[in-house]
Amino acid sequence: TQSYKMPVDYSKWNHIEVSDDEDDTHPNIDTPSLFKWRHEARVQRMEEMEKKKKNVDDEKKKIEAKLKEIKERVAKEEADGGDNLDQLKASLQDVEKQSSELEKKKMQIMKEEKSQPLNVDTLSKDGFSKCIINSSGPRKKEALSDEEREKSMKKFVKENEKLMKEYGMLKKFDDSKRFLQEHTHLACDETANYLVIWCLDLEMEDKRDLMEHVAHQCICMQYLLELAKQLETDPRACISSFFSKIQIADQDYKNSFYSELEAFKDRIKKRAQEKIAEALEEERQERLGPGGLDPVEVFESLPDSMKECFESQNIPMLQQVIKDMPEEEARHHMKRCVDSGLWVPSKDDPGTNTEDGFVKKDGDGESEGEGEAEGEGEESHYAEVK
């Protein structure tokens, strides 16, 4: 009969050292101590075997380096015809003999290692190992024109203004963290920009306390975005890490945060004052008369008797007040009224002076005020002043 040879050698499974927690022990034996001793003994044997292998490998490297050196010297001596050739060849034979003995020693250690029973640490090895780290990169920004970016911002605000205001009214870090984790799309530049504009509007409306409250949330958002920028990752992935960090951070980091918060509030206050001044100046420029004077300022500078005339739109009363007034003073006030648009001289009458509304006369220069009060535009102006 012909013996059949197994295609796979299963002999290595004949000697397996079972796991420490799979063996039955006698009731009188302290099982934990036994398992601990077995484990320590097995680890010690493995360490000794690794030490033997390392010593052989280190010694082999030294012998190989020495063998290479002697071979080079022999070759050089043969080329030069030196007297030490025989001595070098003898040294070469000794080193080659040491190398051969070391190889036998290595084979013996490998055989000894193979003969040891398999255990939980040597039973199997990884066929391959692969590590994958999920890391979200920075959020991609589309290349948009200024007009497209403005449209995108308006759309975002329209869709999320209620949520952004709800976030702005929060105060505690944990509440902000929880809210943003539920609405991760708010972790973006659009939210930060909206909060800045909101703070500015609140300050201009003289709502200082509310502005300072929203400013805190705005700086939180800016710090979160800055953290994402430093880590080169999506801001949504930094929500938890930032709000955890700010609460357990060292005092220097917290001081930096609150220092930036105070500086931000100061910038908002300063910018609000500038915008209010700009708005007032723009309003003033829009109401300037043909001569470049502000009708509000001119009206406030008039005598009370003339103010009453303009307020009541009573032209006969105005003419009488001008007659009772010294001519030089009357011309001064009326010219300012014309330049500011409070008084519109009659353009159809060639005898009316368009500079001050007085009737041109020959002779001693006496005159009386004539003209027409400004129409509906003037009335609306008075309404604005009131």
Side-chain angles (χ1 to χ4, degrees), residues 255-269:
N255 290 342
S256 174
F257 175 86
Y258 288 106
S259 175
E260 176 59 28
L261 175 58
E262 293 302 318
F264 174 75
K265 289 189 286 189
D266 290 340
R267 291 195 298 270
I268 289 293
K269 295 172 187 176

Side-chain angles (χ1 to χ4, degrees), residues 223-266:
Y223 261 64
L224 189 154
L225 296 174
E226 182 62 26
L227 178 62
K229 184 178 179 181
Q230 292 176 358
L231 298 177
E232 297 183 352
T233 188
D234 193 311
R236 291 172 292 187
C238 297
I239 294 174
S240 178
S241 57
F242 165 71
F243 286 104
S244 298
K245 178 181 180 181
I246 190 63
Q247 295 183 77
I248 62 173
D250 55 32
Q251 194 60 39
D252 290 340
Y253 187 84
K254 290 183 178 180
N255 290 342
S256 174
F257 175 86
Y258 288 106
S259 175
E260 176 59 28
L261 175 58
E262 293 302 318
F264 174 75
K265 289 189 286 189
D266 290 340

